[in-house]
């Protein structure tokens, strides 16, 4: 993405006088940060419904542009990338969410659009039971399905345990932060964070010099949930941040799973509650999880499906089949980008292909080309 577009998009996120949702609407409606800036003086002509206050707020970008320029300098020195919503490397799963961040700041090596992405969340006060669950889950997952990106929040307890076990088992792991990339919170996790940059990454929606305020942690939970196919709750009190992530994931239409715990065990009350309330599926192992999401087939080598087996396909249907022949089990958004077919059209095409017995839907909006 061109630096000019990044510059104006960063500035858009710093504009005063209107909220995040308004900035996101402007960005999506006009197609980018530079386009919003170009229409700063005539925004009412291109978007007649905007308020007089917004029209006035749009006229002065000076402070926002200075802040954007300073952040770009910081990013260049720190090897940080700005992933704007229109960037191909922006997490495609997250982009479809109504409250997705306009910009993400990223330092790392992991592909954020990896074929399989899960997040592991839970209490900051995890027990030995929770630690053992994560250790066995991640090590078994490595044996059963090694190509998974593991996401969490770098916090104490379940988060850091998930990251460290992912690193130990060779998984890429990404930490979603509640502050800028000029700091690590908590400081005790700095060494793990540095290792994650080499084998995963650090991701945030916040510019440098942003402190880790309580509300920021709640906001970052939507990124954890939105960029993942499935959320796994390991341990949680009756109320906790992990439950917020699970609720958001459910609202996004993502799969939610929880490990049960002993009745009356404080660290498992939240898990037992969402299982009881049918907000999460109960799992006891990596094998349970893979079977529930339909990923157990991914370990087998997909057979090549010959074009001539489907002579009645339309050109667009054949394009989808061809893409799945090249890389089977693709997420809906990724299929849309690669096929250049809109989400609404693609959904109808995939339904037709499903009725023809050619594809089947898996968890997380993923589509699988059925072996011939």
């Amino acid at each position: 993405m061109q630096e000019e577009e990044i510059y104006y998009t960063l500035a858009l996120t710093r504009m005063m006088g209107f909220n995040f949702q308004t900035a996101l609407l402007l960005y999506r409606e006009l197609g980018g940060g530079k386009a919003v800036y170009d229409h700063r003086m005539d925004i009412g002509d291109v978007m007649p419904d905007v308020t007089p206050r917004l029209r006035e707020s749009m006229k002065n970008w000076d402070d926002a542009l200075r802040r954007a320029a300073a952040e770009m300098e910081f990013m260049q020195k720190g090897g940080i990338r700005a992933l704007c919503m229109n960037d191909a490397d922006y997490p495609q799963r997250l982009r479809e969410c109504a409250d997705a961040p306009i910009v993400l700041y990223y330092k790392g090596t992991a592909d954020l659009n990896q074929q399989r992405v899960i997040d592991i969340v839970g209490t900051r006060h995890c027990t030995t039971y929770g630690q053992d669950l994560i250790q066995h889950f991640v090590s078994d997952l490595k044996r059963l399905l090694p190509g998974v990106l593991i996401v969490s929040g770098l916090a104490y307890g379940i988060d850091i345990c998930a990251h460290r076990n992912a690193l130990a088992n060779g998984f890429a792991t990404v930490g979603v932060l509640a502050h800028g990339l000029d700091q690590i919170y908590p400081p005790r996790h700095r060494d793990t964070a540095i290792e994650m940059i080499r084998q995963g990454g650090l991701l945030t929606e916040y510019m440098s010099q942003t402190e880790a305020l309580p509300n920021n942690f709640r906001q970052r939970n939507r990124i954890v949930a939105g960029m993942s196919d499935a959320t796994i709750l390991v341990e949680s009190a009756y109320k906790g941040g992990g439950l917020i992530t699970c609720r958001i994931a459910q609202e996004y239409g993502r799969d939610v799973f929880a490990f049960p715990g002993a009745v009356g065990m404080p660290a498992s009350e939240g898990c037992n509650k969402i299982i009881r309330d049918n907000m999460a599926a109960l799992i006891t192992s990596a094998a349970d999880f893979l079977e529930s999401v339909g990923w157990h087939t991914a370990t087998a080598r997909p057979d090549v499906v010959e074009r001539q087996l489907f002579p009645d396909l339309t050109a667009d249907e054949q394009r989808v089949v061809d893409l799945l022949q090249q890389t089977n089990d693709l997420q809906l958004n990724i299929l849309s980008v690669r096929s250049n077919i809109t989400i609404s059209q693609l959904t109808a095409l995939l339904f037709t292909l499903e009725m023809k017995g050619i594809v089947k839907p898996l968890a997380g909006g993923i589509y699988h080309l059925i072996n011939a």
Side-chain angles (χ1 to χ4, degrees):
M1 180 168 285
Q2 294 182 349
E3 285 195 9
E4 184 181 48
E5 173 61 24
I6 295 173
Y7 173 56
Y8 287 111
T9 302
L10 265 58
L12 175 62
T13 68
R14 301 297 299 190
M15 288 291 290
M16 306 301 291
F18 51 87
N19 59 25
F20 158 76
Q21 285 294 347
T22 301
L24 180 58
L25 174 65
L26 291 168
Y27 183 91
R28 282 179 157 156
E29 286 290 320
L30 297 177
K34 178 64 163 57
V36 176
Y37 177 78
D38 289 343
H39 288 288
R40 66 194 183 281
M41 305 304 291
D42 64 349
I43 191 66
D45 295 337
V46 293
M47 297 180 65
D49 293 335
V50 298
T51 64
R53 181 184 178 187
L54 176 59
R55 296 186 192 199
E56 191 61 31
S57 300
M58 283 286 292
K59 294 177 181 178
N60 187 357
W61 284 60
D62 293 349
D63 290 343
L65 290 172
R66 279 193 289 270
R67 184 67 179 89
E71 192 65 17
M72 290 185 74
E73 183 178 353
F74 167 75
M75 288 163 47
Q76 185 176 20
K77 291 178 180 178
I80 296 165
R81 296 178 59 198
L83 303 178
C84 301
M85 187 173 282
N86 290 339
D87 194 309
D89 292 332
Y90 185 98
Q92 304 292 328
R93 297 164 178 85
L94 180 62
R95 180 185 292 163
E96 71 184 32
C97 302
D99 56 353
I102 299 172
V103 179
L104 294 168
Y105 302 93
Y106 180 51
K107 185 168 184 176
T109 57
D111 177 6
L112 303 180
N113 290 303
Q114 195 162 314
Q115 189 174 352
R116 314 287 192 194
V117 184
I118 64 171
D119 65 83
I120 299 175
V121 296
T123 179
R124 285 174 167 78
H125 307 288
C126 68
T127 67
T128 301
Y129 170 72
Q131 295 171 13
D132 288 345
L133 284 177
I134 294 174
Q135 181 180 357
H136 287 103
F137 177 85
V138 175
S139 61
D140 287 348
L141 188 65
K142 178 65 175 181
R143 175 174 53 83
L144 296 169
L145 190 66
V148 177
L149 174 62
I150 296 177
V151 178
S152 198
L154 202 69
Y156 289 113
I158 295 299
D159 287 17
I160 195 64
C161 187
H163 290 308
R164 287 172 176 164
N165 275 278
L167 291 169
N169 283 277
F171 284 111
T173 182
V174 169
V176 183
L177 310 182
H179 49 77
L181 287 172
D182 55 335
Q183 60 179 301
I184 294 297
Y185 181 85
R188 187 180 297 179
H189 296 166
R190 177 173 296 276
D191 289 346
T192 302
I194 292 171
E195 189 175 354
M196 288 167 63
I197 291 171
R198 296 191 292 265
Q199 189 179 316
L202 303 176
L203 187 70
T204 183
E205 67 179 307
Y206 297 107
M207 284 187 175
S208 60
Q209 303 176 40
T210 303
E211 297 300 320
L213 302 175
N215 188 59
N216 293 359
F217 288 94
R218 291 188 287 271
Q219 289 295 315
R220 71 96 187 270
N221 289 344
R222 80 190 196 284
I223 300 175
V224 172
M227 67 182 291
S228 305
D229 297 310
T231 292
I232 299 172
L233 186 68
V234 177
E235 283 190 309
S236 172
Y238 195 79
K239 295 182 179 179
L243 293 176
I244 295 174
T245 306
C246 291
R247 176 182 56 77
I248 295 170
Q250 190 177 50
E251 290 172 354
Y252 288 161
R254 309 299 162 80
D255 292 306
V256 179
F257 300 89
F259 282 95
V263 173
M265 181 174 158
S268 291
E269 285 184 346
C271 293
N272 292 343
K273 176 181 182 295
I274 64 172
I275 292 170
R276 181 199 69 199
D277 295 344
N278 294 318
M279 292 178 60
L282 184 154
I283 56 171
T284 61
S285 65
D288 271 2
F289 168 72
L290 293 177
E291 183 159 357
S292 295
V293 293
W295 290 358
H296 55 290
T297 59
T299 53
R301 183 184 65 83
D303 295 330
V304 176
V305 182
E306 299 294 339
R307 289 178 64 109
Q308 60 266 31
L309 293 175
F310 311 120
D312 60 338
L313 299 185
T314 67
D316 284 343
E317 289 170 348
Q318 187 63 61
R319 197 185 324 169
V320 172
V321 169
D322 289 344
L323 285 170
L324 290 173
Q325 282 181 313
Q326 296 168 22
T327 308
N328 206 356
D329 297 0
L330 288 176
Q331 208 264 348
L332 179 64
N333 277 341
I334 296 175
L335 265 174
S336 177
V337 171
R338 294 185 183 178
S339 66
N340 198 29
I341 301 172
T342 65
I343 293 289
S344 58
Q345 292 175 312
L346 185 58
T347 301
L349 285 173
L350 288 165
F351 178 76
T352 301
L353 290 172
E354 184 183 352
M355 292 302 98
K356 292 179 179 180
I358 296 172
V359 303
K360 68 176 180 179
L362 303 179
I366 290 172
Y367 284 84
H368 173 77
L369 186 65
I370 298 172
N371 295 338

